[in-house]
C-alpha cells in the first residue's frame, strides 16, 4: 500500500485515459498490429500491466479492479493455460515478455486457474519493488525463499555485478557462496563515482545431495535479475519446481539450459545434464506426450496473425521434438499420433506451412507415412512459389534466396527417401 488515496486516484485516471485510446483504436481498426500482436492483445496487456502494478505497489484487492471481462482471445487464453499446465505443483515459472506473462496472470487472477504457479517476469526482476512483492504469498503460490533482503538489493550497487577473474583460481564456486559474497559486498570496485560489487569467479556449481549443476557465466558481468535467479536456486535448493518459458532466448537461461528438460511450453531445471549440443534442454517423451495429447487446451481453428504465427511455431517445434524422440525410441505409432494431431490442430488454412515445417515431412517419411509427408510437401511448395511464407521482413532479395535454399533442401530430402513423384513436382 505505497500509494495514498489521491495518488491511487490520479494513477487510475491517467492509466485508464491511456487504455481508452487503445479501446477506441480496437473499435476503429480491429486488425491494427502492434509490436506485441493485434491491437486487442495490446489493449488486454495494458489492463494487465495496470493489474500487475497495483499488485506490486498496492494490494491484490486494488489489482483485481483491473480485471475486466473478455480480455484476450480464446487463442491466448488457451496459450496461457497450456503454459501453466506445463508446470508441476507450486512451481516457479520465469517468463520475459508481455505475451508470455500477462495472459498467464489473467487466467490465474480472473478464472482461478493454476494459482499455485508463481509467474516471475525476468525483465521486471531488475526492480526492487517487484522483487520484494514475492516475499509474501501470491494467490496460492508460496512466497519466494530469498537470502537477499530488501536492504541487500536497495540502491544500485547490485544492478550490475562484474566478474573480475582470479587468474590463480579457476575452480568453480558453490552458488550459495557466490550469493553470500555479493550479499556481504566482500568485493567492490569503483565505477563513475560509485561502487559496484564484483566477484572473482565465472564458474559456478550448485549441489543438491549427491547431484550437481556446473556451469560458466559467459559474460564479464551479470545483472540483478540473474543474481535473483541464482539466489532462488541457492536458497530454495530446487525444492520447488523451477521452469523457464520456452519463448525466452537461450541467454535468459543464464547458462543453465543444458540442465533443462522440455515439459510442454516450459523447460524444467534439473540436476542432470541432458541437452544435445544443438538443442535447449532434453525431453521426457512420456510426460511431454501426456501434456500435449491429453492436458493441453486448444483454441478453435482460424487464420492467425503474424504474432500468433510465432506461437504456432512454438507449438509445432514442441510437437516435432516429441515426434523425433518417439521415433528414436521406436514408438512409431505414438509418433504418428503426435504428428497427426499437430497437423489437425494447426493446418495450412490456419497457419501457413513454411520452411520450419519441413521437419514434419521428414518425420512422416521416417515412419513410412509417405503420403502424409507428401501432402504437406505439396502445400509447402505451393506456398513457396506464391511467396506466402514471408519471413524476412519484406526483403525481396533475402526472401528469394530463402526460397531457393528451401527448394534445394526439399530436393535433397526427396532424393534421400526416393520420392520421385515429389521430385517431378519440383520440376513443374
Amino acid at each position: 500500500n505505497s500509494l495514498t488515496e489521491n495518488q491511487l486516484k490520479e494513477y487510475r485516471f491517467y492509466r485508464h485515459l491511456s487504455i481508452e485510446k487503445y479501446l477506441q483504436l480496437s473499435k476503429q481498426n480491429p486488425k491494427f498490429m502492434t509490436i506485441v500482436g493485434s491491437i486487442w492483445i495490446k489493449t488486454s496487456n495494458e489492463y494487465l500491466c495496470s493489474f500487475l502494478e497495483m499488485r506490486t505497489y498496492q494490494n491484490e484487492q486494488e489489482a483485481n479492479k483491473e480485471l475486466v471481462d473478455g480480455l484476450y482471445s480464446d487463442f491466448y487464453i488457451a496459450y496461457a493455460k497450456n503454459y501453466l499446465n506445463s508446470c508441476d505443483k507450486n512451481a516457479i515459472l520465469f517468463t520475459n515478455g508481455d505475451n508470455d506473462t500477462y495472459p498467464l496472470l489473467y487466467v490465474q487472477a480472473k478464472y482461478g486457474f493454476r494459482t499455485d504457479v508463481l509467474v516471475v517476469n525476468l525483465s521486471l526482476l531488475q526492480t526492487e519493488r517487484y522483487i520484494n512483492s514475492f516475499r509474501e504469498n501470491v494467490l496460492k503460490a508460496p512466497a519466494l525463499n530469498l537470502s537477499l533482503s530488501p536492504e541487500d538489493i536497495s540502491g544500485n550497487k547490485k544492478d550490475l555485478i562484474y566478474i573480475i577473474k582470479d587468474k590463480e583460481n579457476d575452480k568453480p564456486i558453490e552458488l550459495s557462496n557466490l550469493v553470500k559474497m555479493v550479499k556481504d559486498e566482500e568485493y567492490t570496485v569503483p565505477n563513475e563515482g560509485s561502487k559496484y560489487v564484483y566477484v572473482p569467479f565465472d564458474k559456478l556449481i550448485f549441489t543438491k545431495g549427491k547431484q550437481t549443476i556446473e556451469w560458466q557465466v559467459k559474460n564479464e558481468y551479470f545483472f540483478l535479475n540473474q543474481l535473483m535467479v541464482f539466489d532462488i536456486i541457492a536458497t530454495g535448493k530446487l525444492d520447488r519446481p523451477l521452469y523457464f518459458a520456452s519463448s525466452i532466448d537461450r541467454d535468459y537461461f543464464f547458462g543453465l539450459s543444458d540442465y533443462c528438460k522440455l515439459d510442454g511450453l516450459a523447460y524444467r531445471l534439473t540436476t542432470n545434464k541432458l541437452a544435445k549440443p544443438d538443442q535447449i534442454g532434453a525431453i521426457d517423451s512420456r510426460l511431454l506426450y501426456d501434456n500435449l495429447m491429453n492436458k493441453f487446451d486448444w483454441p478453435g481453428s482460424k487464420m492467425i496473425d503474424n504474432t500468433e504465427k510465432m506461437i504456432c511455431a512454438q507449438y509445432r517445434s514442441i510437437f516435432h521434438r516429441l515426434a523425433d524422440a518417439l521415433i528414436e525410441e521406436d514408438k512409431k505409432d505414438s509418433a504418428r499420433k503426435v504428428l497427426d494431431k499437430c497437423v489437425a490442430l494447426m493446418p495450412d488454412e490456419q497457419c501457413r506451412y513454411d520452411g520450419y515445417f519441413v521437419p514434419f515431412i521428414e518425420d512422416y517419411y521416417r515412419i513410412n507415412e509417405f503420403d502424409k509427408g507428401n501432402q504437406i510437401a505439396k502445400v509447402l511448395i505451393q506456398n513457396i512459389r506464391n511467396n506466402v511464407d514471408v519471413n524476412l521482413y519484406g526483403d525481396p532479395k533475402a526472401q528469394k534466396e530463402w526460397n531457393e535454399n528451401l527448394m534445394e533442401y526439399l530436393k535433397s530430402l526427396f532424393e534421400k527417401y526416393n520420392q520421385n513423384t515429389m521430385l517431378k513436382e519440383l520440376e513443374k
Side-chain angles (χ1 to χ4, degrees), residues 150-413:
E151 292 73 27
D152 290 329
I153 61 171
S154 65
N156 62 2
K157 280 191 293 185
K158 297 183 182 69
D159 287 354
L160 182 71
I161 295 95
Y162 290 99
I163 296 174
I164 304 175
K165 282 188 64 177
D166 180 352
K167 295 181 180 179
E168 296 181 0
N169 187 356
D170 198 38
K171 293 181 179 179
I173 183 175
E174 182 66 42
L175 188 61
S176 58
N177 291 335
L178 178 88
V179 174
K180 185 177 184 298
M181 184 182 293
V182 174
K183 174 184 171 72
D184 296 343
E185 300 181 14
E186 187 174 338
Y187 299 90
T188 58
V189 60
N191 185 305
E192 297 181 357
S194 183
K195 284 187 177 181
Y196 283 84
V197 176
Y198 80 91
V199 292
F201 305 91
D202 66 347
K203 293 180 180 177
L204 308 175
I205 188 168
F206 166 74
T207 305
K208 183 178 175 66
K210 295 181 179 180
Q211 296 178 304
T212 60
I213 301 174
E214 190 168 343
W215 72 106
Q216 185 174 13
V217 179
K218 298 293 178 67
N219 297 322
E220 296 177 349
Y221 55 85
F222 57 90
F223 295 107
L224 177 61
N225 60 351
Q226 191 166 346
L227 173 64
M228 296 313 303
V229 172
F230 289 167
D231 190 18
I232 291 167
I233 295 170
T235 309
K237 295 291 184 183
L238 291 186
D239 290 337
R240 288 172 70 177
L242 191 150
Y243 293 83
F244 294 90
S246 62
S247 53
I248 68 176
D249 188 84
R250 186 190 286 263
D251 289 345
Y252 286 96
F253 286 78
F254 303 136
L256 294 162
S257 59
D258 286 349
Y259 290 88
C260 292
K261 68 183 183 74
L262 184 62
D263 286 356
L265 282 172
Y267 290 91
R268 182 170 182 168
L269 181 62
T270 75
T271 52
N272 298 312
K273 197 165 187 178
L274 301 164
K276 296 179 180 179
D278 59 337
Q279 293 180 336
I280 296 178
I283 67 169
D284 174 347
S285 63
R286 182 177 297 182
L287 175 61
L288 188 54
Y289 185 92
D290 186 42
N291 281 342
L292 285 184
M293 303 296 282
N294 301 320
K295 294 182 180 178
F296 273 21
D297 187 18
W298 301 103
S301 178
K302 63 181 180 63
M303 179 53 83
I304 64 169
D305 63 35
N306 287 336
T307 309
E308 291 168 347
K309 180 180 178 181
M310 294 169 61
I311 294 173
C312 283
Q314 257 183 284
Y315 280 132
R316 284 173 168 176
S317 174
I318 295 166
F319 272 99
H320 162 61
R321 286 192 67 180
L322 176 57
D324 249 11
L326 290 168
I327 293 170
E328 289 174 9
E329 295 168 12
D330 201 27
K331 298 176 181 176
K332 294 183 179 179
D333 187 55
S334 295
R336 176 184 55 77
K337 291 176 182 177
V338 168
L339 295 169
D340 288 352
K341 181 159 188 172
C342 184
V343 171
L345 290 171
M346 287 167 278
D348 179 70
E349 294 79 13
Q350 178 189 6
C351 182
R352 297 296 190 192
Y353 296 161
D354 58 16
Y356 300 105
F357 210 59
V358 172
F360 281 78
I361 301 171
E362 185 162 18
D363 281 342
Y364 272 126
Y365 288 173
R366 291 172 68 195
I367 60 173
N368 298 319
E369 292 278 2
F370 294 103
D371 287 344
K372 291 179 179 179
N374 289 339
Q375 286 172 13
I376 295 171
K378 288 177 182 177
V379 176
L380 176 56
I381 291 168
Q382 198 62 38
N383 285 348
I384 294 169
R385 286 172 174 161
N386 292 336
N387 254 346
V388 169
D389 173 27
V390 179
N391 290 305
L392 302 167
Y393 308 101
D395 183 340
K397 184 179 179 181
Q399 188 65 44
K400 184 174 183 292
E401 185 177 344
W402 166 266
N403 289 346
E404 289 172 351
N405 290 339
L406 197 51
M407 287 294 209
E408 282 299 315
Y409 184 79
L410 285 171
K411 181 181 178 182
S412 67
L413 189 62

Side-chain angles (χ1 to χ4, degrees), residues 4 40 42 50 57 63 71 79 87 127 131 138-139 143 176 211 218 245-246 248 311-312 325 335 371 388 426 428:
T4 66
W40 184 240
K42 177 63 177 170
S50 182
Y57 289 90
L71 297 183
Y79 182 55
C87 302
T127 61
I131 294 167
V138 178
L139 301 178
S176 58
Q211 296 178 304
K218 298 293 178 67
S246 62
I248 68 176
I311 294 173
C312 283
D371 287 344
V388 169
L426 285 179
K428 289 183 179 178

